[in-house]
Every structure is written in C-alpha cells, then in structure tokens.
Amino acid sequence: MLNSRIKTRQAPLREDAVTSRRTFLRGSATAAGALVIGLTLDLNLSPKGARAAGGPDLSKAPAKPNAFVRIAADDTVTVVIKHLDMGQGNTTGLATIVAEELDADWGQMRAVFAPADASLYNNLAFGPIQGTGGSTAVANSWIQLRKAGAAARAMLVAAAAEEWKVPAGEITVEKGVMRHKSGQAGRFGTFAAKAAVQPVPENPALKDPSAFRLIGTTLPRLDSKAKTDGSAQYALDVRRPGQLTALVARAPRFGATLKSVDDTAAKAVPGVVQVVRIPSGVAVVARDTWSAMKGREALTLTWDDAGAERQSTESQQAAYKAMADKPGLVASQRGDAAGAIKGAAKVLEAEFSFPYLAHAPMEPLNATIERAGDGSYDIYAGSQFQTIEQAVAAGILGTTADKVRITTLWAGGSFGRRATASADYIAEAAAILKATGEKAPIHLVWTREDDITGGYYRPAAYHRIRAGLDAKGAITGWEHRIVGKSIIIGTPLEAMMVKDGVDATTVEGASDTPYALPAYRFEVHNAREGVPVLWWRSVGHSHTAQAMEVFIDEAAHAAGQDPVAYRLGLLRQAPRLSAALTLAAEKSGWSARDQKPGRGYGVAAHESFGSYVAMVADVTAEAGKVKVNRIVAAVDVGVAVNPDVIRAQVEGAVGFALSSVLRNRITFKDGEVQEKNFDAYEPTRMSEMPKVEVHIVPSAAAPTGIGEPGVPVLAPAISNAVFAATGQRLRSLPLDLSALRGV
C-alpha cells in the first residue's frame, strides 16, 4: 500500500539510445521522496456497458491507492497510462485529466506506459482485462483519474498545512504551486515525500466543471517532441544485447498446414542462425533482418491445402447474396415491418457489398522476447491487450502469466490489428523462442507483405434493405438483412458477447439505429468461410453506417425532401445526434450550397461508441474520378478533454478511411490474397486529403471516445455527395468509379 517499495529495473531497450529506466509502480512512497498515488475501481462491466453512451456512473465507486500518479522531488508529475497510445493521443488526454484535478502546471506533466498488471491497470469497460480499444481510454478513466489527481492534491495540501501549521482549507493551489495568505509557498516536489505518508482520501472532492482550467483547452501533446526528435521508442526500435531477428514463412492460404520443409539453402545464407517449425509456419532466425529475409526466401516449402480456404472473392460474394435470400437470425425488431412495407405507397430496395479490409498500420507487427535470469520472460511490444498476451505467451512457454512481463512501447498505428483474442504475433514470438532454445533475445518482425496478406481483416459484408414510404414520404417499415462473418463467434469472447447467435459487432449501428422507424426487422447471417477476421477501426459501424445513411438519403430523395431535414425528422428521440447534424449543416453552409452538375454535397450522421458525429462532404465528380474537396464534421464526445486531440483524430479518421472509400479492398483468388503491398493496397495520399473542419458540440456529459467514431460517417457522406453531383447511386464500397457515366 502506501509504504510499500517501488520495484524498479533498468533495461536498455536499444544500445544506441539513452538507457531507459522502467519503473514498475506498485506503491506510493520511496526513499527518493516521491509521491505515487492512484485510484482503481473494482468493476466488472459487460461489453454492452462498455459501449453505452457516457459509460457507467463511477462517481460512488470505492477507491484504492495504487500507482497512477507519481510526483517526484524534481517537481515532475508522471501519469501512468494503462492504455496503448498508437497515435490517438490518449497519453495527453489522460494526463490532462490528472493535471486538472491536481492543479498542476502543464509543463511539469509527463506520461509513461503502465506495466502489464490487470489487478491495477484493468480497463474498467472490459472488466478484469488490461487492454485498449472501443474508444474507451478516456471514457473509462474519466472518474478514476479525476479522483487520482484530486487525492494527490489533497495529500499535498495536507502535508503543506502540517508543515506550515495552517488550516488546509486556507491553502490554494495553482499551476503546481501551493500558497497560503501568510506568504508561505511551495511546489509539489518539496512536499512529495511528506504527502506520501498522508491518509488517502476515499472520496476526494472533485472540481465543478465550471472551474476547469486545462480540460477543454488546447494543450501541447506530451508526445510531440519525442516523436519529432526521434527519441520516442517504438517496438520496431528495440535493440537488446545479442538480439536476433526472426521472420516467419506462413501458408499462402488460410487453413493450410505445413507438409514438408527443405531448409538447406536457408541455413547456408550468411547470418542465418536457426530455422525452426512453429504452429504458424517456419521461422528463420538470423543476426539481422536482411539475413532473415534472404533466408526465408531460400526455404523450399510444401503446404497441405486439404483444409485450406479456397474461395475467390466472386464466389464468396455470390454465397453471401444467396444467404440473404433466406430469413436470418433476428437481431432486433419492432412491429410488423413486412406488413407495413406491403401496404406502402412506395417501396425502395437496395443492396450493399463490402470487401475485406486490412488494417495496414505504418509500423507492421513486431515484438521482442527474451528470457530473464530468474526464469521469467520479458516482452517489448506495442501491446494492446496486455492481459491476453501475457496469458498466451505463458501458456506457450510453460509458465504462469505473472512470469511474463510486458513493456508497452509506442505503436505506429493499429486500428484494431494488435488487439487479437489469439495474441497471434506475441504467440509467434514466444513459440520461436521456445523452439530455438536461444538465450539471446528474439525480435519477431513482420514485413509489409506479411502484414497485408497475414489475415485478421475487417470482415466482408453484404446488406439488403427494403423500406416502405407512405404518400408523404415517411418511412412505414424497414427490413434489413446483413451477411458477414462474426468477429466474436469461435473466440473466448463468444460467451460474453454473442446472444442467441447474434454478434453485436456485426449489426451495431443498424439494429440499434437512433432513427424513429415505426416498424423494422434487422436480421443477420453468420458466414463461415476460413478467412480470419477482426475488429477494424469502428468495427461493424464501418459498413452499417454506409448502408443506413445512404439508404436514408435515398428515402429522402424519394420523398422529395431535404436530406438534413428528413434526418432531423427521424431523430426526434436522439437530441445529441440531431445537434451534431444541425451544427455540421450550419458550418458547411448547407442551406446555401451551390448544387450543380459535377459538384455535389452529401451528409451523413451516425452514433458509435457513445459518440455522435455528422459530416458534410463537398465533392467534384467526373467520369471515373471523384475528388473530395472539403469535409465539415461536427462531433459530440461529451466533455471535450483536449479539443486539439479530438480534431486531430477526426482528421486522421478522414485520412484513414478515404482510401477504403475510393479504392482499397482485399481480394482472393483460389484462396490466396491478391494484394501484397502498398502498390495494390494504397493508403491515402497527402494530395488526396480534403480540407477538414471539425466543430465540437459543447457538452457537459461524461466524455466518450473519438478514436473510432470519425470513420463510419465519411463513406456515406461522400457517397451521398457523389449522388448529388451525378444523379448516380454508388452504394457499395469501395465506390465503383467506373460506373460514373456522362458527368
């Protein structure tokens, strides 16, 4: 507890950089005179609760001291971040929450990643699991870190009051300095040691939001300098003493198994140390990356395709359409949708197809693993699901999870790829270390080709929708079938997240639509092909928003009504989404838009992960080509902890998603992935980026997330703008630009 020792270890992550000190913060006081204080909550929330707008009410949860905040004698305040920062800026956002309640100066704030320890650093939205995802970082830490900062402040004030012999209530704190009207003053570092032995307040008083000084303002990101000068260490930067590099040759078809291997030529490559079999293929271990690559190229491998996936994209899509001809599992329903459509004045029908998508983070998967002298293991990675990765590695290595330490480093993107229930790349690293028997650290590296062809894609999906309109254009009934492979079925998460065969991540954003449809029926078919799938940035919303928002736009057009006004009429029970839509329309100049052939404006609004986003797209379209000129977005994420980070995430979402709107897809021919690298799976170019304006809806609600919610609305806004410009509906993604004729 407060008087326990802090466990520290020193370990150079790379020999050509300054030695990095890793501090495993377990207690609160040290001989060096540091105050380390934090609060955690004993909660086990369901996945459904994790997605609820605003999150659970944590205000009355009991608090326990641990190590979320460290105040050192040098006056620095270090916030221990339990979430992976893969570019979304949560290190800055979470540190802002602590700094606010602590009344610290922003210049004294620092951030470090927490060690892997779910007993202290679990994600409150996930339960007893340490991990990052679902835009939960700020949402689940909001009250937790406010209490941590407030408790630390109270303890510092108590220490100063004791020394100055004045009432604590007479001490003010501003920008890291405590003052009393008698003229006495002192900084945090001076009182850190004495504060550490003060009683920990169980329910420290939190600021009224009207008194916020940092929250809601634009603060410099804590990671900007390190990422600019190159001192930020990513997993790919790790260089341990004696480190070896490993690459894995995997089957070209998912589900294939290794029949035979001839490694004679590979072993003859200079620098190659070992060639070993592991469950996912054959690993070549060498003294450097180039030697490992050349050694892998020299392997002669024979694969058994008896149980392999052999479909092509065309046959898979045909199978999906055939499945949609039959009733599926009911995800949600109200009234008699079929009867309402049958009696409608007009019936609309549409279908939407969506391809597999790769995550393609700029830093491909990699991890370093080494044996420690005490029989334990160290892993260095951009770790996103620490608890799962510990358990998986421990199982392979024949030890217990507490013997596997994970040092979380900066990650160059993820978009969901590093968060797998199988911990696949960590499992590979552990399997290689075990198979080789090497005492040297092993750095597993995936090449770009490994990454693009290596599976765990956003699932392909197919939607079929029918809706009835009355004589005035109002929707009377809505039928919607979705076909796609479940991300959750067949994983350890199935028991928690799948109900009656329905995986919520397949239908989210559709079956829980905020639109006031009088009668509806949403159904789902779970496809079973052998392609491994995973959550991709915004998960099911990445395709459901396109289907819902484009079809709503079609209904507005059929009704002869303005698309914004039509949506607002259906959102009478969704005031926060209505407000975002209204703001986006206003800031874009929607009512005064210059609608003419070849130039169009489209709108979309969507709720995901408890956040509300609306976008207006301004596009120029001509035969075979679409140029997105401008995106105007309005977002409601509750309290805007750091507006600059919010804007950056929406801008990043536009850049991330635009390539999936215009061209990207993963295709198969006889079971083999056709796209290998960025030449065929091309990220968004800077020259393609539109001007992006982000407007934040003022809100006093508990903060939600923004890492994912900016993605779903981009595609339908662009699709609807293309229709406005050309009169031609492009429903499926990526947009079939060849279908634009005579513009």
Side-chain angles (χ1 to χ4, degrees):
M1 301 295 286
L2 280 177
N3 295 317
S4 63
R5 297 174 62 192
I6 293 179
K7 300 179 181 179
T8 64
R9 298 196 306 131
Q10 294 186 23
L13 297 182
R14 61 187 187 200
E15 294 178 286
D16 61 342
V18 177
T19 298
S20 171
R21 180 181 298 275
R22 291 187 296 146
T23 305
F24 287 68
L25 303 171
R26 304 284 186 179
S28 296
T30 71
L35 165 64
V36 181
I37 180 69
L39 304 168
T40 191
L41 308 170
D42 291 328
L43 295 177
N44 188 352
L45 305 177
S46 68
K48 182 178 180 180
R51 293 173 180 269
D57 180 8
L58 307 180
S59 60
K60 298 180 181 180
K64 296 181 180 180
N66 55 47
F68 276 110
V69 184
R70 182 185 186 201
I71 302 175
D74 66 359
D75 215 37
T76 56
V77 178
T78 301
V79 181
V80 182
I81 306 296
K82 64 183 182 180
H83 300 279
L84 173 65
D85 194 326
M86 40 208 144
Q88 73 273 43
N90 63 34
T91 46
T92 295
L94 297 175
T96 302
I97 297 170
V98 171
E100 182 65 74
E101 292 291 348
L102 190 58
D103 279 317
D105 182 75
W106 186 245
Q108 68 188 125
M109 300 304 296
R110 308 287 187 272
V112 296
F113 292 119
D117 184 347
S119 68
L120 294 177
Y121 301 114
N122 66 302
N123 186 318
L124 305 180
F126 294 173
I129 295 174
Q130 184 176 352
T132 305
S135 292
T136 59
V138 170
N140 94 98
S141 299
W142 172 241
I143 295 297
Q144 185 180 54
L145 291 185
R146 288 186 69 190
K147 284 187 174 182
R153 182 188 188 280
M155 294 165 73
L156 286 163
V157 168
E162 187 176 280
E163 180 168 315
W164 296 342
K165 302 187 185 313
V166 300
E170 294 182 359
I171 295 175
T172 61
V173 185
E174 184 178 3
K175 293 187 176 181
V177 179
M178 296 179 289
R179 290 186 173 87
H180 184 258
K181 60 186 178 182
S182 63
Q184 299 180 91
R187 300 191 66 82
F188 291 167
T190 305
F191 292 95
K194 291 184 178 180
V197 297
Q198 294 290 325
V200 181
E202 289 188 9
N203 290 296
L206 303 181
K207 280 186 179 181
D208 186 277
S210 64
F212 285 164
R213 181 178 58 85
L214 298 176
I215 290 174
T217 67
T218 295
L219 299 169
R221 283 179 60 147
L222 295 181
D223 54 341
S224 293
K225 183 177 184 296
K227 289 181 176 178
T228 301
D229 65 21
S231 60
Q233 290 200 18
Y234 291 79
L236 208 56
D237 296 326
V238 171
R239 298 294 183 270
R240 303 292 297 150
Q243 173 178 304
L244 299 173
T245 300
L247 269 71
V248 176
R250 303 172 188 85
R253 294 184 177 91
F254 298 115
T257 56
L258 184 65
K259 183 181 294 185
S260 66
V261 56
D262 182 348
D263 58 11
T264 305
K267 289 180 177 178
V269 172
V272 171
V273 175
Q274 282 198 64
V275 178
V276 295
R277 291 192 182 198
I278 61 172
S280 61
V282 179
V284 177
V285 181
R287 302 199 182 281
D288 55 73
T289 305
W290 180 253
S291 298
M293 292 174 69
K294 302 308 289 184
R296 185 172 68 169
E297 290 174 8
L299 291 171
T300 300
L301 304 169
T302 304
W303 301 95
D304 183 352
D305 289 333
E309 176 63 49
R310 299 300 294 262
Q311 284 195 92
S312 293
T313 296
E314 294 76 13
S315 60
Q316 178 247 338
Q317 283 292 306
Y320 276 23
K321 292 182 179 182
M323 291 176 71
D325 289 337
K326 302 176 182 178
L329 300 171
V330 177
S332 67
Q333 63 180 335
R334 172 192 292 164
D336 180 7
I341 294 172
K342 185 177 181 180
K346 181 181 292 186
V347 176
L348 305 179
E349 297 185 69
E351 60 179 7
F352 301 77
S353 293
F354 302 89
Y356 294 104
L357 291 172
H359 302 78
M362 287 296 112
E363 181 193 19
L365 297 175
N366 72 101
T368 300
I369 185 169
E370 66 178 320
R371 291 183 169 88
D374 60 359
S376 60
Y377 299 86
D378 284 293
I379 294 174
Y380 305 87
S383 180
Q384 192 168 349
F385 269 11
Q386 290 90 341
T387 303
I388 292 175
E389 291 161 5
Q390 279 182 301
V392 168
I396 292 169
L397 297 167
T399 187
T400 53
D402 62 301
K403 296 292 186 182
V404 177
R405 291 178 293 269
I406 296 179
T407 296
T408 298
L409 301 169
W410 296 102
S414 173
F415 316 117
R417 181 58 184 89
R418 302 177 196 275
T420 67
S422 64
D424 61 328
Y425 73 107
I426 298 294
E428 282 190 338
I432 294 167
L433 185 70
K434 180 178 181 180
T436 60
E438 285 285 349
K439 294 183 179 180
I442 290 179
H443 187 188
L444 169 69
V445 176
W446 285 43
T447 65
R448 179 61 57 201
E449 288 80 5
D450 294 336
D451 173 65
I452 299 294
T453 64
Y456 286 111
Y457 304 113
R458 195 284 302 272
Y462 174 79
H463 291 238
R464 185 177 294 167
I465 310 176
R466 295 176 71 239
L469 307 182
D470 66 17
K472 295 183 179 180
I475 296 173
T476 60
W478 184 290
E479 289 184 329
H480 194 146
R481 282 183 190 157
I482 304 173
V483 182
K485 185 177 180 181
S486 165
I487 293 169
I488 305 300
I489 292 175
T491 76
L493 303 176
E494 181 175 354
M496 294 186 296
M497 298 181 67
V498 176
K499 183 178 181 181
D500 298 327
V502 177
D503 176 355
T505 68
T506 304
V507 298
E508 61 185 358
S511 64
D512 55 353
T513 179
Y515 288 121
L517 305 177
Y520 59 78
R521 183 180 177 91
F522 291 90
E523 299 176 356
V524 63
H525 286 279
N526 295 314
R528 298 287 182 176
E529 71 270 8
V531 178
V533 295
L534 185 65
W535 24 63
W536 184 87
R537 191 173 181 180
S538 78
V539 202
H541 298 279
S542 66
H543 54 90
T544 59
Q546 169 73 0
M548 293 295 297
E549 285 302 294
V550 170
F551 201 67
I552 285 287
D553 217 68
E554 294 192 43
H557 179 73
Q561 298 183 30
D562 176 81
V564 170
Y566 193 80
R567 284 172 170 81
L568 290 174
L570 289 166
L571 291 173
R572 52 186 177 273
Q573 297 173 0
R576 293 179 69 180
L577 189 57
S578 292
L581 175 58
T582 300
L583 182 60
E586 174 191 332
K587 295 298 184 180
S588 70
W590 179 264
S591 60
R593 63 194 185 282
D594 182 17
Q595 203 79 43
K596 57 186 179 182
R599 185 75 175 262
Y601 300 81
V603 66
H606 192 74
E607 174 192 351
S608 63
F609 305 95
S611 297
Y612 307 84
V613 181
M615 282 186 183
V616 174
D618 167 4
V619 310
T620 302
E622 57 187 59
K625 186 178 180 181
V626 168
K627 170 66 176 176
V628 183
N629 306 307
R630 179 181 179 226
I631 295 291
V632 177
V635 302
D636 179 349
V637 294
V639 173
V641 174
N642 191 308
D644 187 58
V645 171
I646 293 169
R647 293 187 184 97
Q649 278 300 286
V650 176
E651 292 165 355
V654 170
F656 173 80
L658 186 56
S659 59
S660 70
V661 176
L662 298 180
R663 59 178 166 268
N664 279 348
R665 69 182 84 201
I666 292 295
T667 60
F668 290 84
K669 184 177 181 179
D670 192 23
E672 291 193 34
V673 179
Q674 298 303 290
E675 294 72 25
K676 310 295 183 185
N677 207 314
F678 284 151
D679 60 332
Y681 196 87
E682 185 181 355
T684 300
R685 300 281 186 172
M686 287 298 292
S687 59
E688 297 175 302
M689 273 297 292
K691 178 181 180 181
V692 181
E693 301 172 24
V694 182
H695 303 276
I696 299 172
V697 179
S699 176
T704 48
I706 194 57
E708 306 194 64
V711 170
V713 283
L714 181 71
I718 294 173
S719 296
N720 294 335
V722 169
F723 172 76
T726 67
Q728 299 172 47
R729 284 284 177 193
L730 303 184
R731 300 184 180 93
S732 298
L733 296 179
L735 300 179
D736 182 6
L737 302 184
S738 66
L740 295 180
R741 305 174 303 276
V743 179

